[in-house]
Amino acid sequence: MIVILKPNTPKNEVDSLIDKITGYGVQVNPVFGQDLIILGLVGDTSKIDPTQIEANHNVEKVMHVAEPFKKANKMFHPEPTIVDVNGTRVGGKKLALMAGPCSVESEAQIIEVAKAVKASGANFLRGGAFKPRTSPYAFQGLKYKGLELLKEAREATGLPIVTEIMSPFDIDTFVRDVDVIQVGARNMQNFDLLRLLGQTRKPILLKRGLSATIEEWLMSAEYIMASGNEQIILCERGIRTFETYTRNTLDLSSIVAVKQLSHLPIVVDPSHATGKWWMVEPLARAAIAVGADGLIIEVHNDPAHALCDGNQSIKPNVFDDLVGQIKQIASVVGREV
Ligand code: PEP
Ligand code: MN
């Protein structure tokens, strides 16, 4: 349920209404927007009689929120959320361009790729240190050593770092060392991990699960938000369908749906969506054209010898070309690079 207040309601009257509603045993989430004040009610609202609230002279109207996600719902927060990562904003006019290798492999590799993508216009460095691999015998990432190398690359380029967390045991380390904590597709419904990340104030990149519906994905965002962390960037990375030609199927309609349903920013990962490096450019263009707030792209200096996901990794010169194309699309859709 949301309660829309008249724009000039005095603060003390807003507070006393919040106290009254809290008395019904629900949590109240106030949002003071430019034109409206909205009270979002979270919890069991079944015992609240909307006419009693509407009787208050400051109340414009009371609306029922049909969706199960509340804090992530656009009705609770009509203005888009901008996630501020130490001054680099995701969700505003400027697009977020996150680029880097699937996995951090060596100091030389991560520094070379970080410098190259920065020169092309990336504003975040991605790189996996802890890798969720289908086979236990495949390269599992450099782990803590990988985090150290990412920090070195950040030092060398100034780019904030985005990297995946796999275990709740590593939360303190990630909060200390990382700028954006990535929750991978396989952990999208690891609810204990989500709850604990909700207790931090770190920006979270929440990837869509392999077979997750849009509603399930937004409910995972809700888990993080329900624990108090509202700094979430959603990431569409393709879903499982009957098609096997591509690694996954990029669900471009999810971007449009998320923009309709939620205020959270959304970026697109065309690398994992397709599994093919030569499909990355056209789908990156499409993602920006339909309204994504940015991209996360795998870039490797030597894809043929990459320890993970070489087939879907583009070379730095291809990324450079891609940024040029994105600039053109961005200007058509009112965004900038
Ligand atoms: C990755 O970003 O390298 C990754 C493993 O992605 P996903 O969780 O989307 O498969
Ligand atoms: Mn990868």
Side-chain angles (χ1 to χ4, degrees):
M1 191 178 273
I2 63 165
V3 179
I4 300 174
L5 302 184
K6 293 186 178 142
N8 301 317
T9 306
K11 177 79 173 60
N12 62 325
E13 296 190 26
V14 177
D15 288 343
S16 66
L17 186 58
I18 292 178
D19 282 348
K20 181 176 167 199
I21 299 174
T22 311
Y24 292 118
V26 296
Q27 199 196 324
V28 181
N29 218 48
V31 174
F32 295 86
Q34 249 169 11
D35 308 315
L36 353 146
I37 304 169
I38 295 177
L39 306 182
L41 277 50
V42 186
D44 179 11
T45 54
S46 62
K47 290 181 195 70
I48 302 177
D49 175 4
T51 57
Q52 269 189 9
I53 296 176
E54 267 162 353
N56 184 306
H57 66 281
N58 291 313
V59 173
E60 187 93 42
K61 63 177 164 187
V62 176
M63 288 164 78
H64 179 64
V65 179
E67 293 84 11
F69 48 91
K70 309 294 179 190
K71 292 188 166 186
N73 202 304
K74 204 173 174 179
M75 284 177 82
F76 268 53
H77 194 296
E79 282 152 29
T81 285
I82 296 180
V83 175
D84 192 320
V85 185
N86 308 322
T88 304
R89 290 148 61 91
V90 182
K93 187 165 185 194
K94 195 171 159 68
L95 296 173
L97 296 181
M98 309 174 175
C102 178
S103 314
V104 181
E105 297 171 6
S106 68
E107 183 181 39
Q109 175 240 22
I110 193 68
I111 301 280
E112 183 181 333
V113 176
K115 286 185 172 164
V117 298
K118 158 110 188 202
S120 298
N123 42 16
F124 289 86
L125 174 67
R126 68 144 286 150
F130 296 84
K131 295 305 304 176
R133 303 304 299 275
T134 303
S135 164
Y137 310 118
F139 174 59
Q140 305 284 310
L142 296 181
K143 305 190 174 153
Y144 301 103
K145 170 79 181 150
L147 289 183
E148 289 308 313
L149 297 178
L150 281 169
K151 283 160 67 181
E152 264 186 55
R154 174 174 60 197
E155 192 70 31
T157 58
L159 291 176
I161 52 183
V162 184
T163 193
E164 178 168 354
I165 193 163
M166 297 211 345
S167 163
F169 298 122
D170 289 325
I171 288 184
D172 290 345
T173 307
F174 273 63
V175 166
R176 189 190 64 212
D177 289 349
V178 163
D179 301 298
V180 178
I181 303 179
Q182 174 175 331
V183 175
R186 290 155 192 81
N187 270 315
M188 188 205 82
Q189 286 189 317
N190 183 339
F191 298 119
D192 284 345
L193 179 65
L194 300 179
R195 262 204 205 91
L196 289 166
L197 289 170
Q199 291 167 15
T200 77
R201 290 296 171 269
K202 272 280 158 178
I204 308 295
L205 181 87
L206 179 64
K207 288 194 143 196
R208 183 176 182 182
L210 306 172
S211 300
T213 64
I214 293 167
E215 186 171 292
E216 286 163 343
W217 183 20
L218 290 171
M219 288 309 288
S220 291
E222 190 77 15
Y223 259 92
I224 301 171
M225 297 175 91
S227 305
N229 184 358
E230 308 201 346
Q231 302 289 101
I232 300 172
I233 305 161
L234 298 165
C235 175
E236 162 64 43
R237 45 77 74 208
I239 47 172
R240 285 267 165 95
T241 67
F242 55 81
E243 183 55 73
T244 55
Y245 183 71
T246 45
R247 183 173 179 181
N248 291 291
T249 297
L250 179 58
D251 182 10
L252 283 171
S253 60
S254 79
I255 297 133
V256 186
V258 161
K259 288 285 169 199
Q260 177 74 13
L261 295 169
S262 180
H263 51 90
L264 296 172
I266 175 168
V267 301
V268 171
D269 174 349
S271 311
H272 291 87
T274 60
K276 297 187 192 310
W277 73 267
W278 52 272
M279 283 194 169
V280 169
E281 271 183 283
L283 288 167
R285 291 198 301 265
I288 299 306
V290 297
D293 296 296
L295 297 163
I296 178 163
I297 292 183
E298 288 188 340
V299 180
H300 197 289
N301 52 346
D302 184 9
H305 296 102
L307 296 181
C308 184
D309 288 350
N311 291 345
Q312 66 191 40
S313 300
I314 58 175
K315 291 185 180 166
N317 67 313
V318 178
F319 180 70
D320 193 63
D321 184 59
L322 181 151
V323 176
Q325 297 180 34
I326 294 304
K327 265 187 195 143
Q328 293 184 41
I329 307 272
S331 72
V332 177
V333 293
R335 308 298 287 261
E336 60 190 38
V337 171

